[in-house]
Amino acid sequence: MTTFSSAPVLITGGARRIGLALARSFLARSIPVILSYRTPYTELDALRQAGAICLAADFSTTENIYAFAEQIRSLTPRLRAMIHNASRWEPETPTTPPEQTLADMLQIHVYTPYLLNQLLEPCLRGQGIAGADIIHLTDYVVEKGSEKHIAYAASKAALDNMTRSFARKLAPEVKVNAIAPGLILFKEQDDDAYRQQALEKSLMKIAPGEEEIVRLVEYLLSSRYMTGKTLGVDGGRALR
């Protein structure tokens, strides 16, 4: 097993955007990080130099999820937290059978966190009351639905529901909460017209950046009482 200064935080999908910001934040505070990635982005080099353990992972099959969980158990007997950030945003399209789109969305947003929560439960328990955390990254569309991303929205809704079920199952040792972001940051290829249109969908009319999620995660980990809740970070989008 790897020797850590304290129980590490596991982040799925930790190589880009929110996952990357979370990894950098934990490392800056000397909190050990294990993260999974699907694509070997260049940002991983700096994360490794900072001390993160970066594991290539393909969650497209149940066998791969079990293998990943075994890999985590071989590295550490304890996890301070598990943050389910790995995600895909696939719309329904005429070129992809709808059952395939649904299967893909359920695989990454439901099967993966469900199985990892079960398989790594022993790594989270045994650290006292509120000693560990699970955080699910869902989406504001859970409340509104989406005509262009039906399978995506449904799978995130299932993940949102699992938040409450796992909170009941794992209390009081493990707190389980969800964060439901709306627009957090744009992609580099997003043009000005799209950005303006997207900003108009929220009450706050800004893209606040990953730090908004980082601060909320810090709060959830520091709380000893918050569990089974979904916290929206959407600038009031759901009210438009």
Side-chain angles (χ1 to χ4, degrees), residues 1-11 23 26-27 29-36 47-48 50-55 68-81 120 123 127:
M1 286 190 177
T2 303
T3 301
F4 293 102
S5 58
S6 59
V9 173
L10 171 61
I11 306 170
F26 287 125
L27 293 169
R29 291 179 286 135
S30 299
I31 299 173
V33 170
I34 303 172
L35 63 88
S36 75
L47 291 176
R48 290 189 177 100
I53 294 180
C54 305
L55 305 176
F68 179 77
E70 182 57 36
Q71 198 172 10
I72 298 301
R73 289 193 296 263
S74 71
L75 289 170
T76 179
R78 290 283 179 265
L79 289 171
R80 170 60 186 86
L120 296 176
C123 295
Q127 301 175 78

Side-chain angles (χ1 to χ4, degrees), residues 38-154:
R38 186 176 54 171
T39 303
Y41 293 106
T42 56
E43 289 85 352
L44 292 169
D45 295 334
L47 291 176
R48 290 189 177 100
Q49 291 175 7
I53 294 180
C54 305
L55 305 176
D58 177 3
F59 297 133
S60 63
T61 70
T62 299
E63 291 77 13
N64 287 350
I65 299 170
Y66 272 81
F68 179 77
E70 182 57 36
Q71 198 172 10
I72 298 301
R73 289 193 296 263
S74 71
L75 289 170
T76 179
R78 290 283 179 265
L79 289 171
R80 170 60 186 86
M82 184 158 46
I83 301 175
H84 292 287
N85 178 66
S87 183
R88 292 172 64 182
W89 195 57
E90 291 185 5
E92 279 72 23
T93 66
T95 57
T96 303
E99 65 271 20
Q100 185 60 54
T101 301
L102 181 59
D104 290 345
M105 295 297 90
L106 291 175
Q107 183 68 27
I108 189 63
H109 302 140
V110 181
Y111 285 102
T112 298
Y114 172 80
L115 289 174
L116 290 180
N117 287 354
Q118 301 274 20
L119 296 169
L120 296 176
E121 179 181 332
C123 295
L124 294 162
R125 288 196 182 273
Q127 301 175 78
I129 293 177
D133 286 83
I134 293 173
I135 298 176
H136 297 147
L137 269 292
T138 62
D139 197 293
Y140 87 100
V141 298
V142 167
E143 292 187 37
K144 295 188 66 175
S146 172
E147 69 273 18
K148 295 180 180 179
H149 295 81
I150 298 171
Y152 171 85

Side-chain angles (χ1 to χ4, degrees), residues 182-219:
L183 173 64
I184 297 298
L185 69 162
F186 290 107
K187 298 178 182 178
E188 292 181 2
Q189 64 267 31
D190 293 334
D191 61 29
D192 290 342
Y194 172 80
R195 292 177 185 232
Q196 189 58 42
Q197 182 185 37
L199 291 175
E200 289 298 324
K201 292 181 179 179
S202 77
L203 297 179
M204 303 309 294
K205 296 182 174 25
I206 60 170
E210 305 99 316
E211 189 62 29
E212 198 73 20
I213 304 299
V214 170
R215 287 195 295 266
L216 182 51
V217 168
E218 290 176 3
Y219 166 72

